[in-house]
């Protein structure tokens, strides 16, 4: 049976918001008056998906973080959807989602409670019968545990601009207790529910030592009886069942009302509102994102009354929102069941990603604990669990009633940490490592058993910035909030102070090194900076702020002058944009009076970087002349290879690794370091010495293998590549594919932060473009885009080009006979400056034909990895359908593989059985665009035919080759010069990748019943008695194979080239005995003997 998610639903604009809210919250009395607590009578149904935490951990262990989160979300969403389908059929109002639990409400009058309980029990039994247990692909069984209670319930609303609703009552406590007592697909009734129900129709069993009862069976009701019972409930009095479109919630098609929409907006998470405002279709809300999750638990005193609880929840919501807002974090959901009063807060959701997310989360958690403990009345404890990792972000539940939330193993782990480590801020190992904070900021916690988690890793308590002496190695964002941290680093390095010294040790060192440089009475001015405790004289104590600052500046200047000894000094500060304001106030005047050369690196795009530049250029004229601001360019590809060899301590690296680093680092040293660190952490590297085994030279296969292996290495220096065979060489493990390696978390965070600076509609266009590849055509993109986005494609592409996110390689929108054949491809600067740009009209039914490429491959990979597997597969099927539509098979191909746009490349009007057909203008533009895409992928790709030992030439040649994303891109399209020939009736080889060409040519020989041997002797032994047409095809393949091997410039390549020539000569000799050669040559499907390889 198809899932409800696969059906199509009709939503009004207001109905899209109604999907995220329960019917209770949409009723008129709650929409217009939600400040006063409301009391209602209801039946509560709480279902827990047992085994969820263990299942989430197993998915990550077997499939990795990204795919594991995707599999978890898909399985849980399908399971929840099936269960909630029955709940909606029985008239249930889905009130709250709690991760692996769902709270459902049936609203009724007190007189209707017995019948309502019977209806809910029928629903429970049907759910347990159909969905009680579900097997998963990892071997973990998911089971349902259900509890039922009834009675009065109070609905509270907390907050002002961002509102959250809570329920509290004895019925809630009872349903939680009943659900906890349920095991293995059981249904448990609370004591109050048993007293109110129709007991004669229900068979139960009293649980030992408890007042709750287990339901064994009950009298069955027909479908018509259930509908009659449901129709008498208050909540269903005005509802009509929409049979035609299978929607049970009239709110989903309610007419627009601006006032109602404004009130509902307060209850919807910020990330969901951003997607609604951008008109993102509901089925595209889902993403796989690395986020940081905070689970906050507030434990109020048992003496707190309803008023205290409402006031405490409102203040807590206000405090949490104020703390998270500067970091674009959101309070995703609030719960007053499951684990007491809890808030799930998330940083890094769609459109809100910032760098240094882990530091923001840890500091926010510490502030939440501090401010809630100080501000909330009758609060006994605050606990926060913080975790980082890839999770599913999107809709979970049922298409008619869902929540926008995050699902993943890391979210579950945060909840477990919150419960098992009370009254502190706890975090997992990934969060601690991602923050890059010194170890003194953390304290390892004792290991404890976490429910459903077998291997949580090391758990730490975050203690924050402590009054402890630390000599900082590099500045981080935490230093911005740590007064005097930067000046402390400078002075400590200058004076030789060591980390770990006590206050008394530092005081003795300062007295010894500063003796005679400054007066002892001014030592106390260094107390705050160096964390010492010199006595403060009355003279200093009575100083006002201005003279005290003047004395502090003079003291620091004298300290530096004493340290430098009157000579020239050099200081280098990395990440200078993280210098704290207190340090900068001291450093700026001091640096103007000390003979010092200071180099400060600042990250581009950081908000404080520009302020530093402005402060430097707008200072006193004499000072500004002594300041130089330089924008550093990215490393050249050859320098990336050289840096990688230096960092690894090797003389050469594999070509695949060099391609991997060049493409993904974009010439940024930090990116290169993070990529190498990712390979090391995942144990993907192997090291060996470069000395070759001389015995292998006597063996042909060994010699060839050695030659091939050597040709795949890129050296760091000319000397090492020429004669140092004993140096260390880095290789990649045989079972590792760098093409499928996911981005490191640090680089993905940077890329997503850049991606989230643009609107969500632009993000959608980029995500679809990422499916097509690093180079894509507008025709292919338009084919896979949704209609709502396709109408604005020209506008979106133009804006993305102007933002330097993508660039035009060639615009083929002008008819072919008007285009200038000698025109160079567009660059991003030309496109950005308005060269032949389309109009900025947001909607158009026609789009330009052309080729575009991502300016930063890192951004493309980050956008690609956002797709959940199902949605990615759907888009890829559309992409494949487009390519297949523009492909053609002819009978001369013998039913072989098709080549895209074959009929345009090799028309043959003389032969009716071969490829024919004329293309209309649009098809021709599609073909030309794909050809240009292929040309760009192999543009300027060069090889060293002589096998020169010049390492720089080799690195440059390979660096240009690295522009080629992979063989699969070369297969998609080739240059037009390879697609024409007088005797060509079919394209049998895709050029642009020599390795792929050799592979496909060998495959062609195999299909022609001609194996290419491994030894020279095999050329004389192997023979084949076939038609001369096949023999001609074989000779052409052998000719091409010999040509390809001759391009290698290696001894192995030359041997294979001569071997291919020997086999071709042998085949030509056999063909000379036949007189039919000339007649067959014109009709055979063949490859031109001479093909240029760029």
């Amino acid at each position: 049976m198809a899932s409800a998610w696969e059906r199509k639903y009709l939503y009004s604009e207001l109905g899209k918001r109604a999907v995220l809210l329960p019917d209770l919250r949409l009723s008129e009395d709650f929409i217009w008056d939600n400040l006063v607590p409301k009391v209602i009578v209801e039946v509560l149904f709480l279902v827990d998906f047992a085994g969820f935490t263990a299942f989430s951990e197993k998915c990550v262990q077997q499939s990795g973080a990204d795919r594991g989160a995707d599999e978890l979300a898909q399985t849980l969403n399908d399971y929840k959807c099936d269960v909630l389908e029955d709940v909606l059929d029985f008239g249930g109002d889905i009130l709250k989602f709690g991760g692996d639990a769902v709270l459902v409400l049936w609203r009724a009058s007190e007189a209707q409670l017995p019948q309502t309980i019977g209806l809910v029990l029928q629903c429970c039994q049907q759910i347990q019968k159909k969905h009680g247990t579900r097997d998963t692909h990892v071997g973990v069984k998911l089971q349902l545990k259900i509890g039922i209670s009834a009675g009065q319930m109070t609905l509270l609303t907390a907050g002002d601009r961002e509102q959250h609703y809570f329920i509290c009552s004895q019925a809630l406590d009872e349903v939680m207790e009943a659900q906890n007592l349920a095991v293995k697909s059981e249904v448990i009734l609370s004591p109050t529910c048993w007293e109110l129900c129709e007991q004669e129709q229900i068979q139960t069993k009293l649980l030992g030592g408890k007042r709750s009862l287990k339901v064994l069976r009950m009298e069955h009701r027909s479908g018509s009886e259930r509908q009659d019972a449901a129709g008498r409930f208050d909540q269903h009095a005005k509802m009509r069942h929409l049979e035609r479109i299978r929607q049970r919630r009239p709110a989903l098609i309610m007419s627009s009302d601006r006032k109602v929409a404004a009130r509902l907006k307060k209850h919807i998470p910020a990330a969901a509102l951003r997607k609604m405002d951008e008109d993102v279709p509901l089925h595209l809300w889902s993403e796989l994102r690395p986020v940081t999750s905070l689970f906050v638990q507030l434990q109020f005193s048992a003496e707190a009354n309803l008023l205290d609880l409402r006031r405490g929840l409102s203040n807590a919501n206000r405090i949490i929102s104020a703390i998270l807002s500067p970091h674009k974090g959101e309070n995703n959901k609030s719960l007053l069941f499951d684990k007491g009063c809890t808030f799930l807060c998330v940083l890094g959701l769609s459109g809100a990603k910032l760098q240094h997310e882990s530091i923001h989360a840890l500091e926010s958690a510490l502030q939440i604990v501090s401010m809630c403990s100080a501000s909330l009345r009758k609060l006994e404890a605050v606990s926060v669990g913080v975790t980082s990792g890839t999770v599913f972000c999107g809709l979970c539940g049922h298409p008619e009633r869902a929540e926008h939330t995050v699902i993943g193993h890391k979210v579950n782990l945060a909840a477990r940490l919150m419960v098992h480590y009370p009254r502190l801020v706890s975090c997992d190992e990934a969060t601690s490592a991602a923050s890059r904070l010194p170890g003194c900021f953390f304290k390892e916690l004792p290991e404890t058993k976490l429910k459903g988690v077998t291997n949580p890793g090391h758990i730490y308590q975050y203690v924050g910035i402590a009054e402890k002496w630390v000599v900082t190695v590099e500045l981080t964002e935490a230093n911005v909030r740590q007064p005097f941290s930067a000046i402390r680093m400078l002075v400590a390095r200058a004076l030789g102070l060591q980390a770990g010294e006590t206050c008394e040790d530092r005081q003795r060192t300062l007295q010894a090194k500063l003796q005679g440089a400054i007066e002892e009475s001014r030592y106390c001015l260094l107390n705050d900076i160096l964390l010492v405790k010199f006595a403060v004289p009355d003279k200093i104590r009575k100083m006002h702020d201005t003279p005290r600052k003047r004395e502090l500046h003079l003291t620091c200047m004298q300290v530096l002058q004493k340290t430098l000894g009157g000579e020239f000094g050099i200081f280098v500060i990395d990440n200078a944009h993280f210098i704290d304001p207190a340090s900068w106030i001291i450093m700026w005047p001091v640096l103007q009076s000390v003979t010092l050369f200071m180099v400060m690196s600042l990250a581009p795009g950081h908000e404080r970087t520009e302020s530093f530049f402005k402060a430097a250029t707008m200072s006193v004229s004499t000072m500004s002349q002594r300041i130089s601001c330089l924008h550093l360019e990215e490393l050249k590809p050859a320098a990336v290879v050289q840096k990688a060899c230096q960092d690894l301590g090797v003389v050469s690296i594999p070509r695949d690794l060099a391609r991997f680093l060049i493409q993904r680092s974009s010439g940024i040293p930090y990116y290169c370091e993070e990529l190498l660190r990712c390979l090391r952490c995942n144990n993907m590297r192997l090291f060996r010495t470069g000395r070759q085994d001389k015995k292998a030279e006597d063996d042909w296969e060994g010699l060839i293998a050695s030659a091939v292996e050597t040709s795949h290495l890129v050296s760091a220096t000319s000397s090492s590549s020429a004669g140092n065979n004993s140096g260390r060489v880095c290789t990649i493990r045989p079972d590792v594919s760098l093409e499928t390696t996911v981005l490191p978390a640090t680089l993905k965070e940077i890329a997503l932060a850049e991606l989230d600076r643009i609107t969500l509609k632009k993000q959608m266009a980029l995500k679809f473009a990422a499916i097509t590849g690093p180079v894509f055509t507008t025709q292919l993109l338009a084919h896979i885009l949704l209609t709502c986005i396709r109408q604005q494609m020209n506008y979106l592409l133009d804006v993305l080009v102007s933002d330097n996110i993508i660039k035009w390689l060639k615009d083929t929108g002008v008819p072919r006979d008007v285009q200038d054949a000698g025109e160079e491809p567009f660059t991003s600067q030309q496109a950005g400056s308005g060269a032949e740009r389309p109009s900025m009209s947001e909607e158009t039914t026609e789009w330009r034909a052309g080729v575009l490429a991502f300016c930063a491959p890192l951004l493309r990979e980050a956008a690609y990895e956002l797709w959940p597997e199902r949605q990615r597969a759907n888009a890829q099927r559309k992409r494949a359908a487009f390519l297949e539509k523009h492909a053609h098979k002819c009978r001369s191909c013998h039913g072989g593989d098709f080549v895209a746009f074959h009929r345009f490349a090799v028309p043959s009007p003389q032969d009716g059985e071969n490829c024919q057909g004329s293309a209309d203008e649009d098809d021709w533009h599609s073909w030309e665009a794909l050809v240009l895409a292929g040309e760009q992928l192999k543009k300027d790709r060069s090889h060293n035919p002589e096998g020169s030992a010049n390492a720089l030439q080799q690195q440059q040649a390979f660096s240009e080759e690295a522009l080629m994303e992979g063989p699969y891109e070369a297969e998609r399209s080739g240059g037009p010069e390879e697609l024409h020939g007088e005797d060509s009736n079919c394209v049998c080889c895709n050029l642009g990748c020599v390795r792929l060409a050799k592979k496909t040519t060998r495959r062609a020989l195999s299909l022609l019943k001609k194996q290419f041997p491994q030894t020279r002797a095999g050329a004389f032994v192997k023979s084949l008695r076939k038609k001369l047409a096949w023999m001609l095809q074989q000779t052409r393949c052998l000719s091409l194979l010999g040509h390809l091997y001759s391009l290698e410039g290696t001894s192995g390549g030359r041997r294979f080239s001569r071997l291919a020539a020997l086999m071709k000569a042998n085949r030509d000799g056999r063909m000379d005995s036949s007189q039919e050669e000339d007649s067959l040559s014109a009709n055979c499907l063949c490859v031109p003997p001479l093909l240029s390889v760029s």
Side-chain angles (χ1 to χ4, degrees):
M1 179 180 176
S3 170
W5 286 103
E6 300 176 9
R7 297 199 297 263
K8 291 185 178 181
Y9 291 84
L10 178 64
Y11 305 101
S12 65
E13 288 300 317
L14 198 57
K16 293 179 181 179
R17 300 189 178 189
V19 171
L20 303 177
L21 295 171
D23 290 326
L24 178 66
R25 194 66 194 80
L26 296 172
S27 58
E28 292 185 4
D29 50 341
F30 286 95
I31 288 180
W32 302 111
D33 184 14
N34 59 7
L35 297 180
V36 180
K38 302 290 193 305
V39 179
I40 60 173
V41 179
E42 35 62 35
V43 177
L44 286 179
F45 161 103
L46 180 61
V47 56
D48 180 76
F49 296 78
F52 173 63
T53 302
F55 173 61
S56 67
E57 184 181 39
K58 199 74 172 179
C59 287
V60 173
Q61 289 175 351
Q62 291 193 5
S63 305
D66 290 6
R67 187 176 176 186
D70 190 15
E71 292 175 348
L72 168 67
Q74 287 185 14
T75 303
L76 181 65
N77 223 4
D78 290 343
Y79 198 9
K80 274 187 178 180
C81 184
D82 292 340
V83 172
L84 298 182
E85 179 86 356
D86 288 336
V87 169
L88 291 172
D89 281 339
F90 278 84
D93 183 12
I94 302 166
L95 193 63
K96 281 278 189 177
F97 292 89
D100 56 352
V102 180
L103 184 65
V104 185
L105 165 74
W106 276 264
R107 190 177 176 185
S109 65
E110 292 189 4
Q112 296 168 342
L113 279 179
Q115 287 184 325
T116 307
I117 294 174
L119 181 69
V120 175
L121 282 174
Q122 287 281 351
C123 177
C124 292
Q125 286 203 332
Q126 179 169 316
I127 289 174
Q128 289 289 26
K129 181 179 180 180
K130 293 169 57 177
H131 315 294
T133 302
R134 178 156 297 188
D135 296 326
T136 64
H137 65 285
V138 296
V140 177
K141 284 190 175 184
L142 299 179
Q143 296 177 326
L144 300 180
K145 302 189 329 182
I146 300 177
I148 303 176
S149 68
Q152 288 188 343
M153 178 187 75
T154 302
L155 182 70
L156 302 177
T157 302
D160 183 18
R161 296 180 60 185
E162 297 180 5
Q163 295 184 349
H164 295 263
Y165 58 93
F166 303 86
I167 58 170
C168 55
S169 67
Q170 181 182 351
L172 178 63
D173 297 334
E174 289 187 354
V175 77
M176 292 173 56
E177 181 183 4
Q179 180 268 316
N180 289 328
L181 293 174
V183 293
K184 291 184 179 181
S185 306
E186 291 181 346
V187 178
I188 304 298
L189 283 177
S190 70
T192 304
C193 191
W194 172 248
E195 294 175 1
L196 295 173
C197 71
E198 299 171 337
Q199 299 182 4
E200 66 278 2
Q201 298 182 5
I202 307 171
Q203 183 179 349
T204 61
K205 177 183 178 181
L206 187 66
L207 298 178
K210 304 291 181 180
R211 297 176 57 204
S212 301
L213 299 95
K214 173 183 175 181
V215 178
L216 299 178
R217 61 177 301 276
M218 69 169 295
E219 183 178 331
H220 179 72
R221 289 185 179 181
S222 65
S224 58
E225 291 176 333
R226 293 201 307 267
Q227 290 182 3
D228 291 341
R232 289 193 294 269
F233 299 156
D234 293 344
Q235 71 186 68
H236 295 283
K238 298 180 181 180
M239 289 183 61
R240 56 188 179 87
H241 191 71
L242 307 178
E243 290 288 350
R244 185 175 60 85
I245 54 176
R246 289 185 59 81
Q247 288 185 191
R248 284 135 296 205
R249 300 188 64 203
L252 301 184
I253 56 173
M254 62 196 310
S255 58
S256 298
D257 188 320
R258 297 179 61 181
K259 293 183 179 180
V260 173
R263 288 183 174 272
L264 297 183
K265 180 179 179 180
K266 297 181 179 181
H267 293 274
I268 299 175
L273 283 176
R274 286 193 294 270
K275 295 177 180 179
M276 289 180 181
D277 294 339
E278 291 280 347
D279 292 327
V280 179
L282 292 180
H283 68 278
L284 290 183
W285 282 24
S286 303
E287 289 182 336
L288 294 177
R289 273 185 167 259
V291 302
T292 303
S293 306
L294 290 79
F295 251 113
V296 182
Q297 183 181 56
L298 305 178
Q299 293 180 343
F300 289 93
S301 170
E303 300 176 356
N305 56 32
L306 191 62
L307 182 61
D308 294 330
L309 188 60
R310 182 176 183 274
R311 184 181 298 134
L313 293 175
S314 296
N315 291 335
N317 180 64
R318 176 181 51 82
I319 291 171
I320 293 173
S321 298
I323 292 173
L324 294 177
S325 179
H327 310 303
K328 294 188 176 182
E330 76 168 35
N331 186 356
N332 181 259
K333 74 169 78 173
S334 54
L335 307 168
L336 201 59
F337 75 98
D338 190 20
K339 297 175 179 63
C341 178
T342 61
F343 296 87
L344 172 58
C345 309
V346 187
L347 282 79
L349 288 173
S350 181
K353 190 73 172 181
L354 294 178
Q355 295 187 43
H356 315 290
E357 183 177 275
S358 298
I359 298 178
H360 296 160
L362 291 170
E363 281 297 308
S364 298
L366 213 57
Q367 293 178 43
I368 290 172
V369 172
S370 175
M371 295 189 66
C372 287
S373 300
S375 304
L376 302 185
R377 296 180 55 188
K378 297 186 179 180
L379 181 68
E380 293 185 344
V382 184
S383 309
V384 184
V386 185
T387 57
S388 301
T390 301
V391 300
F392 171 88
C393 307
L395 294 179
C396 183
H398 189 278
E400 296 185 35
R401 175 68 177 97
E403 65 167 347
H404 185 269
T405 187
V406 291
I407 301 173
H409 174 63
K410 288 296 185 177
V411 183
N412 300 338
L413 182 58
R416 296 291 184 256
L417 296 182
M418 172 193 71
V419 173
H420 291 85
Y421 295 98
R423 293 180 170 82
L424 50 84
V425 176
S426 56
C427 69
D428 64 340
E429 192 172 4
T431 305
S432 173
S435 69
R436 303 288 180 92
L437 293 174
C440 62
F441 283 60
F442 301 91
K443 177 183 177 182
E444 188 168 358
L445 293 172
E447 184 178 349
T448 184
K449 186 176 181 180
L450 306 180
K451 180 183 177 182
V453 180
T454 59
N455 184 24
H458 296 284
I459 305 299
Y460 300 93
Q461 177 187 359
Y462 180 69
V463 297
I465 301 173
E467 292 297 322
K468 183 177 180 180
W469 177 254
V470 180
V471 178
T472 308
V473 177
E474 63 174 332
L475 295 178
T476 64
E477 186 161 337
N479 294 109
V480 179
R481 295 181 293 275
Q482 188 178 9
F484 306 109
S485 59
I487 191 68
R488 181 183 305 141
M489 177 189 68
L490 286 178
V491 176
R493 291 294 181 86
L495 298 177
L497 300 178
Q498 303 296 323
E501 289 183 333
T502 63
C503 178
E504 292 76 12
D505 293 337
R506 290 196 297 277
Q507 290 184 187
R508 286 192 292 268
T509 302
L510 289 173
Q511 288 172 336
K513 293 196 174 186
L514 298 180
Q515 187 175 6
I518 61 176
E519 299 177 3
E520 291 189 7
S521 61
R522 299 217 305 266
Y523 283 175
C524 63
L525 295 172
L526 301 174
N527 284 354
D528 292 336
I529 297 177
L530 301 178
L531 302 181
V532 289
K533 297 179 181 179
F534 288 110
V536 182
D538 292 338
K539 177 183 176 180
I540 301 295
R541 184 181 295 109
K542 294 178 181 179
M543 280 185 178
H544 294 291
D545 289 341
T546 302
R548 189 184 182 101
K549 288 180 180 178
R550 191 180 304 115
E551 287 294 322
L552 177 60
H553 295 164
L554 179 62
T555 301
C556 291
M557 181 182 66
Q558 291 174 340
V559 169
L560 291 177
Q561 288 176 339
K562 171 67 174 178
T563 304
L564 298 175
E567 298 180 357
F568 187 78
I570 299 177
F571 283 93
V572 180
I573 301 180
D574 194 11
N575 293 334
H577 48 281
F578 292 141
I579 296 177
D580 60 284
S583 293
W584 189 249
I585 291 174
I586 298 174
M587 291 171 60
W588 185 242
V590 169
L591 294 177
Q592 300 182 49
S593 57
V594 179
T595 306
L596 191 67
F597 181 76
M598 177 169 287
V599 180
M600 298 189 297
S601 68
L602 302 140
H606 197 278
E607 57 183 3
R608 303 189 74 215
T609 299
E610 297 301 325
S611 63
F612 270 79
F613 280 165
K614 290 180 180 179
T617 55
M618 297 177 63
S619 60
V620 182
S621 58
T622 57
M623 186 62 186
S624 61
Q625 295 176 0
R626 295 158 53 189
I627 298 176
S628 298
C629 300
L630 303 176
H631 290 275
L632 301 180
E633 300 293 334
E634 67 273 7
L635 294 179
K636 299 298 183 183
V640 173
V641 175
Q642 187 175 9
K643 173 178 173 54
C645 291
Q646 290 175 351
D647 292 349
L648 294 171
V650 298
V651 297
S652 63
I653 59 175
R655 286 177 172 265
D656 290 344
L657 176 57
R659 179 187 295 109
F660 173 78
L661 295 175
I662 292 171
Q663 289 177 347
R664 288 163 176 79
S665 69
S666 299
I668 301 176
Y670 174 71
Y671 291 5
C672 183
E673 293 168 1
E674 286 300 308
L675 291 169
L676 291 174
R677 179 175 172 270
C678 175
L679 297 179
R680 174 179 58 81
C681 295
N682 292 283
N683 194 27
M684 296 181 177
R685 311 171 307 175
L686 293 176
F687 293 93
R688 62 171 178 78
T689 58
R691 182 174 301 167
Q692 298 178 2
D693 188 1
K694 294 187 178 297
K695 293 183 178 180
E697 296 180 0
D698 298 331
D699 181 71
W700 171 264
E701 285 76 11
L703 181 62
I704 294 300
S706 177
V708 172
E709 183 178 6
T710 303
S711 68
H712 291 169
L713 297 176
V714 179
S715 302
T717 61
S718 58
S719 59
S720 62
S721 62
N724 185 4
N725 292 327
S726 60
R728 295 177 73 226
V729 174
C730 174
T731 59
I732 301 299
R733 283 174 40 194
D735 58 336
V736 172
S737 173
L738 293 178
E739 294 295 335
T740 58
T741 301
V742 297
L743 288 175
T746 51
L747 299 189
K748 184 181 288 188
E749 180 181 74
I750 294 173
L752 289 180
E754 185 72 20
L755 192 65
D756 281 349
R757 292 182 180 180
I758 64 177
T759 63
L760 295 180
K761 189 158 290 187
K762 298 178 191 174
Q763 283 188 36
M764 282 194 295
L766 276 183
K767 286 169 62 178
F768 279 102
I771 292 288
T772 66
V775 179
F776 58 94
T777 68
T778 54
Q779 293 87 345
L780 176 56
L781 178 61
H783 182 79
I784 67 174
L785 280 177
L786 299 179
T787 304
C788 60
I789 311 174
R790 189 186 306 125
Q791 294 173 351
Q792 305 178 36
M793 190 182 76
N794 282 350
Y795 165 74
L796 293 174
L797 292 180
D798 194 81
V799 175
L800 291 172
V801 169
S802 65
D803 292 339
N804 290 324
I805 297 176
I806 58 177
K807 58 185 178 182
W808 285 102
L809 299 180
K810 187 70 173 179
D811 185 353
T812 61
V814 183
R816 291 187 67 248
D817 55 353
V818 180
Q819 287 186 355
D820 182 5
E823 184 181 5
E824 294 294 328
F826 283 150
T827 63
S828 59
Q829 295 178 349
Q830 291 171 331
S833 62
E836 295 194 27
R837 291 160 60 117
S839 65
M840 295 298 289
S841 175
E842 292 197 11
E843 293 193 9
T844 178
T845 58
E846 297 181 358
W847 53 85
R848 292 186 298 171
V851 184
L852 298 104
F854 280 84
C855 296
L858 199 70
L859 200 62
R860 181 250 166 184
E861 291 190 39
Y864 182 83
E865 292 177 7
L866 288 174
W867 285 99
E869 184 62 31
R870 285 183 182 176
Q871 296 179 3
R872 182 191 302 169
N874 290 336
Q876 288 172 336
R877 278 192 286 269
K878 285 185 177 181
R879 175 179 180 268
F882 174 85
L883 295 176
E884 188 173 4
K885 176 184 177 182
H886 292 84
H888 180 64
K889 291 183 180 181
C890 63
R891 296 177 217 177
S892 296
C893 295
H894 300 287
D897 294 339
F898 65 79
V899 179
F901 301 99
H902 177 68
R903 60 186 181 276
F904 302 111
V906 284
S908 180
Q910 296 179 355
D911 190 350
E913 293 186 353
N914 289 334
C915 305
Q916 297 186 43
S918 60
D920 56 26
E921 191 69 18
D922 291 338
D923 285 343
W924 173 261
H925 286 165
S926 299
W927 158 236
E928 187 177 25
L930 283 186
V931 170
L932 290 170
E935 285 184 319
Q936 177 63 25
L937 286 171
K938 59 190 184 64
K939 178 184 177 183
D940 296 331
R941 184 169 175 261
S942 60
H943 297 270
N944 190 351
E946 301 299 327
S948 171
N950 189 322
L952 181 59
Q953 294 179 3
Q954 187 181 16
Q955 292 163 16
Q956 290 175 343
F958 174 72
S959 301
E960 293 164 350
E961 179 186 1
L963 293 173
M964 189 77 170
E965 187 68 17
Y968 57 87
E969 294 294 345
E971 276 190 295
R972 186 172 64 181
S973 56
E977 68 276 5
E978 287 83 31
L979 299 178
H980 294 280
E982 294 181 357
D983 298 328
S984 299
N985 293 325
C986 183
V987 179
C988 299
C989 179
N990 292 284
L991 300 182
C993 183
V994 174
R995 189 184 309 172
L996 176 63
K998 289 187 294 188
K999 180 180 178 181
T1000 54
T1001 307
R1002 283 176 172 267
R1003 176 60 178 162
L1005 280 174
S1006 176
L1007 294 174
L1008 294 171
K1009 310 300 181 182
K1010 182 66 178 177
Q1011 299 295 332
F1012 190 71
Q1014 298 296 324
T1015 63
R1016 216 179 272 186
F1020 296 96
V1021 176
K1022 293 188 177 182
S1023 62
L1024 194 62
R1025 299 178 180 176
K1026 290 291 183 182
K1027 293 180 180 180
L1028 290 179
W1030 282 51
M1031 296 174 69
L1032 178 60
Q1033 296 173 44
Q1034 293 169 5
T1035 60
R1036 298 296 177 87
C1037 289
L1038 289 170
S1039 175
L1040 175 60
L1041 199 58
H1043 178 66
L1044 293 173
Y1045 274 113
S1046 68
L1047 294 175
E1048 289 188 359
T1050 62
S1051 59
R1054 286 191 290 270
R1055 285 191 177 92
F1056 272 127
S1057 179
R1058 289 194 294 268
L1059 180 60
L1062 185 63
M1063 294 178 63
K1064 180 181 180 298
N1066 187 28
R1067 186 60 48 189
D1068 289 341
R1070 289 174 177 261
M1071 292 176 59
D1072 288 340
S1073 61
S1074 176
Q1075 298 296 326
E1076 300 177 0
E1077 177 181 348
D1078 294 337
S1079 60
L1080 290 174
S1081 297
N1083 298 323
C1084 284
L1085 179 64
C1086 58
V1087 177
L1090 295 178
L1091 291 176
S1092 60
V1093 180
S1094 58

